[in-house]
Amino acid sequence: MAYERDFPPIPAPEPLWRERLRQYWTLVRGDRPIGWLLLLWPTWWGLWLAAKGMPPIWPLVVFSLGSG
């Protein structure tokens, strides 16, 4: 038929903020978290061992953010 297309319609462009957020997320390798997870798990384990239980919240936050 004359109104049918042989190709899919062109999608609407992504908003600029969403595209930039996606690019930044890829830059910091947020889509592949194995790097920071390999640092985070031993950090948490060390904090739990050093505190002999649940560590205080402030060192837990600081070390967790530092490993990422």
Side-chain angles (χ1 to χ4, degrees), residues 4-38:
E4 291 183 14
R5 298 182 183 169
D6 293 335
F7 53 89
I10 298 173
E14 241 180 51
L16 183 60
W17 66 269
R18 188 175 296 162
E19 172 65 22
R20 295 198 58 178
L21 183 63
R22 186 189 60 76
Q23 289 175 353
Y24 183 73
W25 187 246
T26 304
L27 178 67
V28 298
R29 296 179 62 92
D31 55 339
R32 298 180 185 146
I34 192 64
W36 61 268
L37 286 176
L38 284 174

Side-chain angles (χ1 to χ4, degrees), residues 43-61:
T43 301
W44 281 352
W45 186 53
L47 285 172
W48 257 266
L49 287 176
K52 296 180 181 165
M54 179 69 178
I57 193 70
W58 181 245
L60 185 64
V61 169

